[in-house]
Amino acid sequence: MRIGVECTESVVEGATGSVLVELHRQGLSVLSDEREYSIVAAPKSRKPERQSTFPDFEVIPVAGPRDDNWENICSDPDDLDVKRYASNFTANGGKLYVYYSEAFPRFATEIRRFEQQNEAFASSFRTRYGMWVAVHSLLMYEQVNREDLPHLTDTQVDEFWRQERVRLGVIAVMVASQEVTSGVASEEDEAAAS
């Protein structure tokens, strides 16, 4: 068993004494223990070792290749293959803009399924999917360095990260869907569904 003892503010640093603790149990002998104490200075609070470097961010759904924001997901205006692009991000003025494609097949299939069941679940899925894509984008923004892949050309590096975002899009669909269908959905989602 552990106990906490708080002293008054008037206590003097360096003061000593003892604390006696007795435990009375019905029908049994009393247990007791005595410990010496010494008053020491309160520990100084430590500065946080690392401040978060995550920027402010905004998650923006993009309907598909005909959406004006498609250029923020795919830099080639002639590339309309929605299977190849799940998300992307850009930074501007210290803010991260996270774009995700609602036409990405795994997302589109799952959102249609939820819309047929219940609009509250579809809304929850959209929010959760956007959150997972944003987390991935924030991590990439903080950690990705082209110099980490020195053996690749810029085009190969761009392709590598495009594929990484597609893999994450698939994972985000699976996790967000599981969260909604397994009852992890918040009470607000459940109340809205009633």
Side-chain angles (χ1 to χ4, degrees), residues 118-133:
N118 182 304
E119 187 53 44
F121 288 157
S123 176
S124 179
F125 173 75
R126 272 189 193 92
T127 300
R128 291 166 191 279
Y129 179 83
M131 176 196 66
W132 285 110
V133 170

Side-chain angles (χ1 to χ4, degrees), residues 21-22 28 38 46 69-70 74 89 97 101 103 108 114 121 133 150 155 179 193:
V21 177
E22 292 183 341
L28 299 170
S38 154
R46 292 192 299 173
N69 279 320
W70 183 253
C74 172
F89 62 88
Y97 296 90
S101 171
F114 280 118
F121 288 157
V133 170
T155 302
E179 286 176 345

Side-chain angles (χ1 to χ4, degrees), residues 8-159:
T8 64
E9 290 184 26
S10 62
V11 72
V12 177
E13 191 175 320
T16 60
S18 64
V19 174
L20 173 66
V21 177
E22 292 183 341
L23 178 62
H24 297 269
R25 304 172 299 164
Q26 192 172 27
L28 299 170
S29 62
V30 174
L31 297 175
S32 66
D33 195 12
E34 187 171 2
R35 298 290 170 168
E36 301 296 319
Y37 69 81
S38 154
I39 305 297
V40 297
K44 296 187 190 306
S45 59
R46 292 192 299 173
K47 292 181 182 176
E49 292 180 13
R50 182 176 175 203
Q51 295 288 332
S52 173
T53 58
F54 287 144
D56 185 22
F57 68 94
E58 180 180 347
V59 179
I60 303 165
V62 178
R66 302 290 177 230
D67 189 311
D68 290 340
N69 279 320
W70 183 253
E71 67 186 22
N72 295 304
I73 290 180
C74 172
S75 59
D76 180 0
D78 296 328
D79 191 347
L80 307 178
D81 188 353
V82 295
K83 294 183 303 265
R84 291 178 40 82
Y85 302 96
S87 68
N88 203 354
F89 62 88
T90 60
N92 188 3
K95 186 170 183 175
L96 195 69
Y97 296 90
V98 180
Y99 299 89
Y100 73 85
S101 171
E102 293 182 316
F104 181 62
R106 294 293 291 261
F107 176 88
T109 299
E110 202 65 11
I111 196 65
R112 273 194 304 274
R113 185 174 73 86
F114 280 118
E115 286 171 342
Q116 290 170 355
Q117 291 177 4
N118 182 304
E119 187 53 44
F121 288 157
S123 176
S124 179
F125 173 75
R126 272 189 193 92
T127 300
R128 291 166 191 279
Y129 179 83
M131 176 196 66
W132 285 110
V133 170
V135 166
H136 183 257
S137 296
L138 286 164
L139 290 172
M140 283 181 67
Y141 175 76
E142 182 181 63
Q143 297 174 352
V144 171
N145 187 343
R146 287 189 176 273
E147 291 150 13
D148 291 342
L149 303 168
H151 59 286
L152 300 178
T153 66
D154 283 351
T155 302
Q156 290 170 324
V157 169
D158 290 343
E159 179 61 15

